[in-house]
Amino acid sequence: MARIAVIGAGMGAMAAAARLAVAGHRVVVYERTDTYGGAVRRFERDGFRFDTGPGLLPLPAVWRDLFVKTGKEPLEACVELEQVDPASHHVFPDGTRVSLPNASRAGVVAALDEALGAGAGERWGDFLVRAREAWDRTRRPLLEEPLWPNWQVLADKEPYPALERKRLLRTRKASTPERIGMWELGDERLAALLESCVLGYGVDPRTAPASAAVLPYMEHAFGLWYVRGGLRELARAVYERCVARKVEFVFGAEVTRIADKDGRAAGVELASGALAEADHVVAGVDPVRLRGLTEHPLDADGDVRADTVTARPGRFTVLLALRGAREAGAAHRTVVHSPAPESELDFLVAPGGDLPPRPTVTVLRPDDPSLAPDGDHESVVLSAVVSTEADWKDESTVQRYTDHLLRAAGAAIPGLGERVLWHEVRTPEHTEDETGAPFGAVPAPALAAGGGRFLHPANTTRLPGLYRAGGWSHPGGGLPHAGMSGALVAGLIVEGPEFRGSQ
């Protein structure tokens, strides 16, 4: 039985802790805040409850596998999962609206043909077929296996089979999601569907590799799911599974140094000065903080380094407490597309100057009575992807951006202006306080191609006995990817460096 110290109680770190405890190891989790879950948190006030992190769950099989491998109770015995249908309702700047069924290619094709015109659905369906090919080529190396030592193969080879486009004696292929939209989808609204999904994961569709097509494919193929009571219930279930497997949690315990002995990780030192010895250390923290915890070089030339990971945007969220019940037939998720997408994306990389006219806004309206004090009220979450470099401490900037989100939400919520009881705003500053991530950035899933800029540091490090877990390590951000990072770290510790992932 090995002693294992885990830094942070995020979802990936807890996934590793539960699996390691089942394997017979003594696991202690040190969390600097007073609760678990990382970014998967909840805000409560006056009988209203809100998810402040992700609100929907793609690819729940990752978490089902965790519960199967760590105990007799399956995931569905611990939380109530339900598919969201429609998967999303979209409102475009020209007034067009379309609802897309969950996990139904035929249904999506028919809905797009009816809303956008004949042929639109077929073009989107053909795109999904190509996206599936990219998914099939990258699923194992980017989700189910430790990062390959020759990861440059993933960095250089584009897995998305883009259509050839002949023009002026030249043959070109789309190399980014933006160009897929321009050259393959043939409709600004279809392009907006693709770009909004990619942006929702914190990736600029103008600079991301075409392999980002796997993100809408993942949602389409495996569906989007909601956890009754909110995604915080999933965090609770994972925490309780850890406790049931004898994982010890120490809250309010900030790790200030990773101790090493004879060139190997040997434990963690806390802010109190206490030293907790360990045979292995699992760090569920961002690369910047991890580098500050050890003087040992974690990367070498040729590795995916922390500073090669592209800068990540954050999230601006408005929590709405509304008078009146949710109307019958309201969509769980509505995406209100920006009338000026280029301006929105420019703001992500150069946040100085005026705010964009209006960002793309996601409106989440769960049909869940437990989130409101009674049937005559409704709990709603608005969110937009924003630059973490903007001055979110400036009250006027926060107010103007809040107004942007509220105006956009009016397209999704009838009579919104008269229904608002109160609202709560959460900026990247809140994310930084809760997760410790610099500037409140949110990690994106790992993507192939792009010269390696969209890969994340491996789960192993140059310091033996020190491992990375969570969204800032391979295979990147998002709940499915964080869960897989925990599985990979557990496999590497239990089975050793020859571990190659689940079969």
Side-chain angles (χ1 to χ4, degrees):
M1 179 180 72
R3 300 165 300 174
I4 299 174
V6 178
I7 306 172
M11 297 298 285
M14 289 198 296
R19 291 174 182 270
L20 288 166
V22 166
H25 300 298
R26 180 177 179 270
V27 184
V28 182
V29 178
Y30 299 93
E31 167 57 45
R32 68 181 185 87
T33 71
D34 61 357
T35 190
Y36 53 83
V40 184
R41 300 216 179 191
R42 173 184 290 152
F43 178 84
E44 299 186 43
R45 174 181 162 187
D46 300 340
F48 291 90
R49 306 163 79 195
F50 308 86
D51 279 326
T52 59
L56 292 172
L57 177 65
L59 204 58
V62 171
W63 297 98
R64 289 189 178 113
D65 181 73
L66 171 71
F67 277 75
V68 167
K69 299 290 177 57
T70 59
K72 297 180 179 179
E73 284 187 311
L75 176 62
E76 279 82 350
C78 302
V79 298
E80 185 179 349
L81 278 177
E82 58 183 37
Q83 271 195 303
V84 176
D85 201 15
S88 56
H89 181 75
H90 293 263
V91 181
F92 299 100
D94 67 357
T96 304
R97 294 173 175 259
V98 61
S99 290
L100 302 181
N102 201 345
S104 169
R105 182 178 183 275
V108 168
V109 168
L112 289 173
D113 275 343
E114 181 178 354
L116 308 187
E122 183 179 0
R123 290 194 298 276
W124 184 259
D126 290 345
F127 158 72
L128 288 176
V129 171
R130 295 189 293 276
R132 176 179 179 174
E133 189 169 335
W135 171 264
D136 290 341
R137 290 173 176 174
T138 61
R139 175 179 56 86
R140 282 198 62 81
L142 282 186
L143 193 61
E144 299 177 355
E145 298 178 344
L147 188 65
W148 293 348
N150 61 334
W151 58 265
Q152 290 87 350
V153 175
L154 294 173
D156 297 334
K157 187 174 179 58
E158 173 57 71
Y160 177 77
L163 298 179
E164 291 188 352
R165 180 175 182 264
K166 294 183 178 181
R167 186 175 183 182
L168 299 177
L169 303 180
R170 295 181 62 188
T171 299
R172 305 176 70 182
K173 292 184 177 182
S175 58
T176 66
E178 179 187 51
R179 292 190 175 181
I180 292 174
M182 293 168 54
W183 296 354
E184 298 183 8
L185 297 179
D187 187 297
E188 290 184 356
R189 295 162 296 184
L190 291 180
L193 286 180
L194 169 58
E195 292 182 17
S196 66
C197 182
V198 173
L199 179 61
Y201 284 91
V203 177
D204 187 337
R206 300 173 302 182
T207 58
S211 66
V214 300
L215 300 177
Y217 173 77
M218 179 177 66
E219 293 188 1
H220 163 78
F222 305 105
L224 286 172
W225 299 74
Y226 175 67
V227 179
R228 299 292 290 182
L231 263 291
R232 177 65 177 177
E233 288 299 296
L234 176 64
R236 173 198 56 77
V238 175
Y239 168 72
E240 291 180 353
R241 176 55 55 92
C242 286
V243 172
R245 297 299 167 262
K246 309 303 182 186
V247 175
E248 181 183 350
F249 285 80
V250 184
F251 295 105
E254 182 172 4
V255 173
T256 56
R257 186 176 70 90
I258 295 171
D260 61 90
K261 182 178 181 181
D262 299 326
R264 180 181 176 83
V268 296
E269 184 176 306
L270 305 179
S272 65
L275 176 65
E277 296 182 349
D279 302 297
H280 302 276
V281 176
V282 177
V285 299
D286 67 272
V288 175
R289 184 180 172 205
L290 181 57
R291 287 176 183 273
L293 295 179
T294 176
E295 297 178 355
H296 194 285
L298 301 181
D299 305 290
D301 290 342
D303 288 345
V304 176
R305 299 176 60 89
D307 53 12
T308 67
V309 180
T310 55
R312 300 303 186 199
R315 301 199 188 281
F316 187 98
T317 304
V318 179
L319 314 178
L320 293 180
L322 302 185
R323 302 180 185 89
R326 179 181 186 270
E327 71 272 14
H332 186 121
R333 179 175 74 160
T334 298
V335 180
V336 184
H337 293 268
S338 172
E342 193 70 20
S343 175
E344 173 184 24
L345 295 173
D346 286 343
F347 179 69
L348 291 180
V349 296
D354 292 336
L355 294 178
R358 197 191 72 207
T360 296
V361 176
T362 298
V363 182
L364 295 181
R365 306 179 66 191
D367 185 10
D368 188 344
S370 72
L371 303 183
D374 54 50
D376 293 325
H377 294 85
E378 183 183 5
S379 166
V380 175
V381 177
L382 317 179
S383 65
V385 177
V386 297
S387 170
T388 56
E389 296 180 11
D391 185 4
W392 297 116
K393 294 181 179 179
D394 180 70
E395 293 183 5
S396 64
T397 299
V398 171
Q399 184 58 58
R400 285 185 294 160
Y401 221 77
T402 300
D403 292 341
H404 282 337
L405 266 66
L406 290 172
R407 279 195 296 271
I413 306 173
L416 175 61
E418 294 74 34
R419 294 185 59 193
V420 177
L421 275 172
W422 51 262
H423 69 268
E424 181 80 17
V425 176
R426 298 178 61 82
T427 73
E429 295 277 336
H430 294 88
T431 305
E432 182 174 14
D433 289 343
E434 293 177 351
T435 68
F439 308 108
V442 177
L447 298 172
R453 292 181 297 115
F454 296 85
L455 297 175
H456 292 256
N459 305 109
T460 54
T461 72
R462 301 287 292 181
L463 178 62
L466 174 62
Y467 302 83
R468 302 180 179 99
W472 292 104
S473 61
H474 178 76
L479 282 171
H481 298 72
M484 279 306 304
S485 79
L488 294 174
V489 166
L492 287 164
I493 291 176
V494 173
E495 299 187 25
E498 303 305 315
F499 175 69
R500 288 296 176 265
S502 58
Q503 301 297 320

